[in-house]
Amino acid sequence: MSIGSQNSQAGKPSLTAADELSKRLSPYTFPVYLLLDNDANEDTVEHIGSGFLISHRGMNFFVTAGHVFDHRSKGRLFYYVSDDKIEFLDRTFETTPSESKTREDDFLDIAVIIVNPKIGEGVPADGYQHQCIPENMVHRHRAAVPKCLNTIVGFPLTRNKVYEVRGNELNPQQLIFHAKQNDDSVYKKARFNKNDFYLARFKENNVVRVATGEGGVTNLKPKGISGGTCWGTMIFKEDTNSYRNGDSFLLGIITKHIPEVKSILCTNIEVAYELADILLNRIITPIPSINELFTFSINGIDIPFDITFIRPQRDAKGFFR
């Protein structure tokens, strides 16, 4: 599906539908960095992947690919919440289970980490280039989605150049690629269940769009974009050559390249919320009942108090007697 251009009333071309969509979705994906443990006095930082922020049950979580988060064994992972402030990903976490150091046995491949809930700390303040994904932009269902355009967003590691350095500033390039939605036969061929995964398909060496406006190519290898976002957008045909974007919603997390079907594998976002629930249920202490609060023991046997709440009597004017 091609997305045609739209013209402004002044006669000058406005953003194309693809550019508008890229601009809309680009703020919600973060680059992930690794501060390496070494004996040198100077810090060594590498860009290693992508991730994003969600909110759930009053808490904020950073979501990335499990194999990206596994780099914590080499140092401290972090992301930027402002131009000069970072948040380390070293709080309580939960990942999909794996017995392999390379997660070869874990196709879900997800990590969820609790972050500092303060605005301007773990959550970027309004106006910063990266933002938490609003809950109304998340498709929290395992059921199949309607026919839509897939968009993947991440920060690739290009060839041997891990990142560009301008002074002391890391400057990764964001990749935004609009892909086709696969049909059931492709899922069957790749042996992936549509309830747990999305397969975003595009051609080899196809042109990509990046947040800087520059063009480029991709060889489909998701190194660096792992942990990034996979979106779905409803597309409406305006006329013969142009289309209009509808609502966009987060579908999943980028994890792996599946070359036999020329697709990027993305785990359903619902898996991240399930991990968040496991995480919260593990760390939140349940509130004790009245009987648990008011007990005493006789010879090792717990005897609960018989507590009766008595409503005090009032006189005709409403005053307590």
Side-chain angles (χ1 to χ4, degrees):
M1 176 185 292
S2 61
I3 303 180
S5 62
Q6 299 171 337
N7 294 324
S8 66
Q9 293 181 350
K12 295 181 179 179
S14 64
L15 285 175
T16 65
D19 288 334
E20 185 276 329
L21 185 57
S22 298
K23 184 177 180 180
R24 182 202 306 177
L25 301 180
S26 64
Y28 299 118
T29 307
F30 294 68
V32 177
Y33 301 102
L34 173 67
L35 177 60
L36 287 166
D37 288 334
N38 54 43
D39 297 328
N41 293 328
E42 295 184 0
D43 293 335
T44 302
V45 177
E46 289 185 3
H47 163 231
I48 60 163
S50 307
F52 55 94
L53 279 170
I54 59 172
S55 297
H56 183 51
R57 291 169 55 182
M59 300 287 286
N60 296 299
F61 301 88
F62 195 87
V63 181
T64 187
H67 70 269
V68 171
F69 187 64
D70 289 343
H71 281 84
R72 69 190 185 280
S73 61
K74 304 175 185 177
R76 301 183 70 188
L77 301 175
F78 68 91
Y79 62 96
Y80 277 91
V81 294
S82 68
D83 290 336
D84 58 358
K85 188 177 293 185
I86 64 175
E87 167 82 352
F88 283 107
L89 292 171
D90 53 9
R91 296 172 182 260
T92 311
F93 66 90
E94 189 72 38
T95 71
T96 47
S98 174
E99 297 181 1
S100 168
K101 292 183 178 179
T102 58
R103 290 194 176 267
E104 294 178 356
D105 59 340
D106 178 22
F107 281 97
L108 292 174
D109 195 13
I110 302 297
V112 175
I113 310 98
I114 288 180
V115 300
N116 190 329
K118 294 182 179 179
I119 302 297
E121 300 291 338
V123 180
D126 290 341
Y128 185 56
Q129 58 182 320
H130 303 296
Q131 293 291 314
C132 183
I133 298 176
E135 293 185 58
N136 63 359
M137 291 183 69
V138 181
H139 182 77
R140 285 202 55 193
H141 301 283
R142 272 192 151 89
V145 298
K147 194 72 174 180
C148 62
L149 178 72
N150 286 155
T151 302
I152 59 172
V153 186
F155 292 84
L157 308 180
T158 55
R159 297 187 179 179
N160 297 324
K161 196 171 186 180
V162 177
Y163 54 76
E164 295 178 15
V165 178
R166 297 178 181 175
N168 293 321
E169 180 182 0
L170 293 170
N171 184 33
Q173 185 182 59
Q174 188 183 62
L175 176 151
I176 297 179
F177 193 97
H178 305 300
K180 294 178 63 176
Q181 185 170 334
N182 278 307
D183 56 29
D184 291 344
S185 63
V186 177
Y187 283 86
K188 185 176 181 180
K189 179 180 179 180
R191 298 185 297 279
F192 286 107
N193 190 322
K194 290 185 71 173
N195 291 333
D196 292 326
F197 300 96
Y198 294 101
L199 285 166
R201 185 181 187 183
F202 43 91
K203 295 180 180 179
E204 189 82 16
N205 292 333
N206 207 341
V207 175
V208 304
R209 294 181 179 274
V210 295
T212 59
E214 302 169 6
V217 296
T218 177
N219 59 2
L220 295 177
K221 295 180 181 179
K223 188 174 182 180
I225 68 172
S226 291
T229 49
C230 174
W231 301 83
T233 302
M234 302 304 297
I235 302 295
F236 302 96
K237 193 170 185 178
E238 294 273 87
D239 53 45
T240 305
N241 296 315
S242 66
Y243 296 81
R244 173 175 58 86
N245 299 325
D247 292 335
S248 296
F249 37 89
L250 180 66
L251 295 175
I253 306 101
I254 301 167
T255 59
K256 190 177 180 65
H257 172 218
I258 309 298
E260 59 266 31
V261 290
K262 294 186 177 180
S263 298
I264 292 293
L265 181 67
C266 306
T267 303
N268 192 313
I269 186 59
E270 185 63 20
V271 176
Y273 283 90
E274 290 170 356
L275 289 178
D277 278 327
I278 293 172
L279 181 54
L280 289 175
N281 293 338
R282 189 176 79 236
I283 67 173
I284 295 177
T285 303
I287 300 174
S289 66
I290 292 294
N291 284 338
E292 290 173 328
L293 287 173
F294 297 98
T295 60
F296 65 96
S297 298
I298 298 177
N299 295 329
I301 301 175
D302 290 338
I303 309 297
F305 282 105
D306 185 9
I307 300 174
T308 302
F309 292 96
I310 302 174
R311 179 177 297 177
Q313 294 182 343
R314 298 173 183 264
D315 59 23
K317 294 182 179 181
F319 293 102
F320 291 115
R321 293 178 180 176

